[in-house]
Amino acid sequence: MPISARNGFKGSVTAIKEGPIHAEVVITTPGGDSIVATLTEASVVSLGLKVGSPAIAVIKAPWVSLMSGAPEYRFSARNQLNGTVSAIHAGAINSQVTLTLAGGSKLVAVVTNEAVSELGLKPGEAAVALFKAGSVLVGVPV
């Protein structure tokens, strides 16, 4: 399935918290990395999502922010995934930074070159990927 988003996490639905308008859906990869998505109840129904269903969580790389060092603040981003920088590909303005998450999944973020420098990002260094649950698209097999 060709798609322009850099991040696709195949797994299964491990939790659904339903509400009158929106639902929170957790997709967990075989390695144990969990992604939280906020969807409309209509989407949960139309996709046929149930605990145990196969699904994919898709996140565009520019929607991911990175953090390094000890946090001084708590953040509202529902997804805060710890990882290790495994690659950095610098461009003229932005860099593509790849993190290897605890469960072995790879996550790509596109951040400015200035941010890479200010955060001290280097291969082998720890970093945290942050993104809102509303930035996660969910797909199911057809």
Side-chain angles (χ1 to χ4, degrees), residues 7-86:
N7 298 298
F9 297 90
K10 289 182 181 177
S12 61
V13 175
T14 53
I16 299 175
K17 181 179 178 184
E18 298 194 42
I21 298 171
H22 288 95
E24 184 177 85
V25 177
V26 180
I27 297 171
T28 303
T29 66
D33 297 313
S34 292
I35 309 295
V36 179
T38 302
L39 308 174
T40 63
E41 277 294 324
S43 291
V44 171
V45 171
S46 70
L47 293 172
L49 295 175
K50 301 203 177 337
V51 171
S53 300
I56 185 169
V58 177
I59 307 103
K60 292 187 64 70
W63 297 347
V64 179
S65 294
L66 297 176
M67 179 173 62
S68 66
E72 296 177 38
Y73 298 94
R74 291 183 307 165
F75 292 95
S76 63
R78 186 68 175 86
N79 293 286
Q80 299 181 32
L81 305 173
N82 294 311
T84 302
V85 176
S86 51

Side-chain angles (χ1 to χ4, degrees), residues 90-126:
I93 298 167
N94 293 326
S95 290
Q96 177 179 293
V97 179
T98 303
L99 297 184
T100 300
L101 303 179
S105 299
K106 302 280 188 189
L107 181 139
V108 177
V110 173
V111 297
T112 64
N113 294 336
E114 186 176 331
V116 170
S117 177
E118 287 177 359
L119 294 170
L121 298 176
K122 298 178 187 114
E125 295 289 324

